[in-house]
Amino acid sequence: MKKLAGGRKDAETEYLDGKLLIAMPGMSDERFARAVIYICAHSEDGAMGIVVNQPARRVSFSDLLVQLEVIGEDEAIRLPRSAELVPVLKGGPVDAGRGFVLHSDDYHAEASTLDIDEGVALTATLDILRAIARGQGPMRALLALGYSGWSPGQLEAELQANGWLTCAADADILFDAPPESKYDRALRKLGVDPAMLVSDAGHA
């Protein structure tokens, strides 16, 4: 997935940067069952996104800051409240040991922040973790461990096979909603009743 962010884009092709993917009930890959994915980059070279509704179990943001030596153990109890509230999510199966911070665009690190869509950016360096720990980071943020990736044409094929629904991203869904509610909220944003979608699964 090289040159992902800078891949050539065909004006006739609809790319999904800044959009949400919502897994259909019949999703065959159980890693993405009921997943809501924010697409960070999409071009002819493939696509990259962050799952925003699967919490990472038994790990907190402060724990990770200590593990990465951003702060010392004694500093963990003195983090600003904004840092304590940053959720840690499973962003996807690729590079699961690497952290990606999806955040509001009021924070920008030169040469390392990718502006995705209006109000949303992605940074994957320790600088943003240090800034958050000091209370100088973005107003809204989530930390994802790993990401979801598609090779050229793969996401398009999955969309044609009705594996995903798509909708415009909503910052409130990305950053504010409890992870467990994001799937239903994203469906309702499309005007879809989650209960009806489940009951209709498998029927053309």
Side-chain angles (χ1 to χ4, degrees):
M1 296 252 311
K2 296 179 180 177
K3 300 187 297 184
L4 187 57
R8 184 167 59 85
K9 299 207 172 186
D10 186 335
E12 296 181 359
T13 302
E14 181 185 0
Y15 291 106
L16 300 175
D17 313 59
K19 299 288 194 300
L20 291 177
L21 293 182
I22 308 165
M24 289 289 283
M27 171 60 65
S28 58
D29 190 334
E30 63 181 26
R31 296 173 300 177
F32 297 108
R34 290 178 59 86
V36 178
I37 300 178
Y38 181 76
I39 297 297
C40 301
H42 186 199
S43 74
E44 65 178 7
D45 295 324
M48 176 266 188
I50 300 289
V51 179
V52 297
N53 68 327
Q54 294 182 357
R57 304 297 179 190
R58 297 182 296 278
V59 62
S60 69
F61 187 67
S62 60
D63 291 338
L64 286 175
L65 292 181
V66 173
Q67 290 175 25
L68 295 170
E69 299 183 351
V70 172
I71 61 173
E73 289 187 27
D74 59 327
E75 297 174 278
I77 61 172
R78 298 196 301 271
L79 284 174
R81 180 160 175 76
S82 57
E84 294 175 352
L85 294 176
V86 175
V88 181
L89 307 175
K90 294 187 295 184
V94 185
D95 268 356
R98 185 179 176 195
F100 299 82
V101 180
L102 194 65
H103 58 90
S104 51
D105 65 358
D106 51 339
Y107 174 91
H108 194 278
E110 194 66 34
S112 61
T113 294
L114 171 66
D115 293 313
I116 301 168
D117 199 19
E118 185 177 350
V120 183
L122 181 75
T123 305
T125 60
L126 288 177
D127 289 340
I128 189 170
L129 300 183
R130 295 188 183 102
I132 293 172
R134 294 192 303 264
Q136 299 170 356
M139 289 288 293
R140 304 164 109 178
L142 59 84
L143 174 63
L145 300 177
Y147 68 91
S148 305
W150 293 263
S151 57
Q154 183 183 0
L155 179 55
E156 290 81 355
E158 291 179 9
L159 288 165
Q160 289 178 356
N162 296 318
W164 303 96
L165 294 169
T166 64
C167 72
D170 182 324
D172 288 339
I173 291 178
L174 286 180
F175 299 117
D176 292 347
E180 296 78 8
S181 75
K182 291 183 179 183
Y183 185 78
D184 288 353
R185 286 188 62 182
L187 287 175
R188 291 192 179 99
K189 183 177 173 65
L190 278 175
V192 176
D193 182 339
M196 292 298 294
L197 185 63
V198 171
S199 65
D200 287 344
H203 299 281

